[in-house]
Amino acid sequence: MAEKTGWEGPERGRLPSRVEAAIRDQEAQNEILIGWVQLTVVSIWSVLYTLSPKTFAETARFEPIPWVLSAYFAFTILRLALSYRRMLPPWFLALSVIGDIVLLMVTIWSFHLQYEQPASFYLKAPTVLYVFIFIALRSFRLEVGYVLLAGIGSALGWLALVAYAMIVDPSDPMITRDYVDYLTSNAILIGAEFDKVISILMVTAILAVAIHRGRRLLVRAVSEGTAARDLSRFFAPEVARKITAAEAELSAGSGEHREATILYVDIRGFTALSARLEPQQVIRILAAYQALVGPLLRRHHGSIDKFLGDGVLATFGAAEPDVAHAANALRAIRELLAATRDWTPDPDLLAPGALRICMAAASGRIVFGAVGDGERLEYTVIGDAVNRAAKLEKHTKELGVRALCDGATRALATAAPDLPVLAEIGERPVEGAEGMIEIYEIRED
């Protein structure tokens, strides 16, 4: 049986299911923490009781504390095991709260038997302060209902102990109005007992308000955290961090200059190939291709700007400044060449090497920023290097090579170690690009 949440706030029902699942996961972790704290408390009490000298007189009727501690220990172990299995329904959680209060009140009640004193004797016990521990313990859940149950239950439990002390001996209720007499004897001062009850209720109310406000923050934080994780799936992680960490609302037109390297990766002839394949086969090939390219680019500090069908536009040093952007791009190209040389997503569908994957890189000053309208924004790169990389990638077909870069990329990466072999082709006109471009073929080692 899956865990359900009790005392659900008004924010529930308006959240996406994945956000609710994240909140439930956090609550489940908190319940495990509560279980361990309870187990620690009852273990400490058990050890202290075992090691401390026993004060029960030989004529005492019975010793309730060992029985209470044993029962509560067993209940706590059960609760902890269920919390790990996420099998804690609301009624069991409420029963756990009540169990805490009953344990404490029975322990306090037993003091007058243990010391053979009038029942009012236990009203002076400082053990009542443990109610604040049990109330505060429920704040881990971040649900007001359980805190209120603990606080109100504690107040009612203490009132029951006061009432018992007053009526257990009808001939002598032991009530006094003398504060000194109250402090120096077993007399009962009604005002003092009400002070304790009011303190319990006030602490409960303060915690309830704080939890109500804290739960709203939790829902917002989980929602924003989930949104941030979703963003990182639709954007490069660097771009997602830039969006979520922005101090002001992002708008179209905001941009920054960057020195960066732009990389285009493309499957040669994929349009013609896709025309003779089933739609599911086309998508399966693209998914396998993107799953291969994406992690490899990120490993070399590249960011995927966008998927363009069978093409990939990646940037190095655009989303986040990187002085080694050109060298990182060249290293990524070398690994891409090796990984895609004989790669095929489906040997039964395509022979090894049937997909010819080509790529090209160009470096220079670009603009990295947000474009779009008020309803939809997109981070992108704009500049001559973007255009040169696209045109160079198309030029690989004319030259019969798989990877090219311009002279600017080579010049920026010259002093870097562990670079691929760059074979000079020379200055050439490239269709769609202005002027002559210094071109180098990038080869596998």
Side-chain angles (χ1 to χ4, degrees):
M1 179 176 61
E3 179 186 0
K4 297 181 180 179
T5 303
W7 283 283
E8 295 181 348
E11 67 273 6
R12 285 296 176 87
R14 298 200 303 263
L15 297 173
S17 58
R18 66 184 186 281
V19 175
E20 290 194 1
I23 293 175
R24 286 195 297 270
D25 183 68
Q26 184 61 53
E27 289 175 343
Q29 295 299 318
N30 289 346
E31 285 300 334
I32 292 174
L33 177 60
I34 291 173
W36 279 109
V37 172
Q38 287 178 313
L39 184 61
T40 300
V41 170
V42 71
S43 298
I44 290 174
W45 285 2
S46 299
V47 170
L48 290 177
Y49 181 81
T50 301
L51 297 179
S52 62
K54 302 302 178 291
T55 55
F56 276 90
E58 294 181 359
T59 57
R61 284 168 284 182
F62 74 103
E63 299 183 21
I65 293 181
W67 294 95
V68 173
L69 289 178
S70 298
Y72 188 71
F73 187 85
F75 180 81
T76 302
I77 291 293
L78 173 63
R79 185 194 184 288
L80 189 58
L82 292 177
S83 67
Y84 272 103
R85 301 187 65 179
R86 300 196 178 190
M87 298 174 62
L88 290 176
W91 65 265
F92 192 93
L93 294 176
L95 181 62
S96 178
V97 175
I98 295 171
D100 290 341
I101 306 307
V102 170
L103 164 69
L104 183 60
M105 296 305 163
V106 170
T107 301
I108 294 173
W109 171 82
S110 70
F111 288 167
H112 80 289
L113 300 178
Q114 180 174 345
Y115 294 97
E116 295 190 315
Q117 295 291 322
S120 58
F121 173 79
Y122 58 63
L123 298 179
K124 309 293 176 63
T127 313
V128 67
L129 296 176
Y130 279 96
V131 300
F132 298 109
I133 295 177
F134 287 129
I135 295 171
L137 190 61
R138 298 302 156 185
S139 65
F140 283 130
R141 180 76 186 192
L142 285 179
E143 290 191 26
V144 172
Y146 295 112
V147 173
L148 291 176
L149 178 61
I152 294 173
S154 297
L156 292 176
W158 190 253
L159 286 174
L161 290 181
V162 173
Y164 176 84
M166 292 170 57
I167 66 175
V168 66
D169 185 0
S171 63
D172 185 8
M174 302 186 69
I175 297 175
T176 184
R177 296 193 179 192
D178 188 328
Y179 189 70
V180 174
D181 184 37
Y182 162 72
L183 290 179
T184 57
S185 70
N186 289 328
I188 302 171
L189 183 64
I190 299 297
E193 303 311 322
F194 273 107
D195 282 345
K196 297 175 186 176
V197 172
I198 291 172
S199 297
I200 292 171
L201 294 177
M202 286 300 296
V203 169
T204 300
I206 292 170
L207 276 177
V209 172
I211 289 169
H212 178 70
R213 295 170 65 88
R215 184 169 183 82
R216 289 187 175 183
L217 291 176
L218 171 66
V219 171
R220 182 181 303 173
V222 171
S223 299
E224 292 180 354
T226 304
R229 286 191 295 273
D230 288 344
L231 276 177
S232 66
R233 297 176 60 202
F234 288 92
F235 296 89
E238 300 84 358
V239 176
R241 286 195 296 269
K242 191 176 185 66
I243 294 172
T244 55
E247 295 184 2
E249 183 178 358
L250 296 173
S251 60
S254 58
E256 301 171 83
H257 280 292
R258 290 275 198 269
E259 293 294 331
T261 298
I262 309 301
L263 171 62
Y264 267 93
V265 184
D266 187 62
I267 302 178
R268 180 71 63 216
F270 187 78
T271 301
L273 175 66
S274 61
R276 60 184 178 83
L277 297 177
E278 295 295 326
Q280 294 84 352
Q281 294 173 329
V282 173
I283 297 301
R284 189 166 65 248
I285 291 173
L286 282 179
Y289 159 67
Q290 292 162 354
L292 172 70
V293 172
L296 190 152
L297 293 174
R298 286 189 287 272
R299 188 158 57 244
H300 291 278
H301 309 289
S303 298
I304 295 177
D305 185 88
K306 57 178 65 68
F307 291 107
L308 305 165
D310 60 311
V312 177
L313 171 59
T315 65
F316 294 78
E320 292 182 347
D322 180 6
V323 294
H325 56 85
N328 286 331
L330 292 177
R331 296 186 190 107
I333 291 174
R334 177 178 57 194
E335 191 170 345
L336 275 170
L337 288 172
T340 61
R341 184 193 316 118
D342 298 318
W343 176 79
T344 178
D346 189 343
D348 296 330
L349 187 64
L350 298 168
L355 295 177
R356 184 172 175 80
I357 298 174
C358 301
M359 58 209 77
S363 301
R365 190 174 177 82
I366 55 95
V367 174
F368 175 72
V371 296
D373 56 27
E375 297 299 321
R376 186 183 186 280
L377 297 176
E378 180 179 278
Y379 263 104
T380 191
V381 286
I382 303 168
D384 183 55
V386 182
N387 182 59
R388 274 186 283 119
K391 301 307 179 183
L392 277 176
E393 190 281 317
K394 295 183 181 300
H395 204 60
T396 58
K397 182 178 181 180
E398 179 181 330
L399 295 175
V401 300
R402 293 184 59 206
L404 295 172
C405 74
D406 65 351
T409 302
R410 177 185 178 277
L412 288 169
T414 297
D418 192 29
L419 293 177
V421 175
L422 300 179
E424 183 176 1
I425 295 176
E427 289 190 349
R428 292 198 177 195
V430 176
E431 183 181 355
E434 296 183 3
M436 303 290 284
I437 299 179
E438 187 179 5
I439 302 175
Y440 291 83
E441 180 189 358
I442 306 170
R443 298 175 179 173
E444 295 181 56
D445 296 347

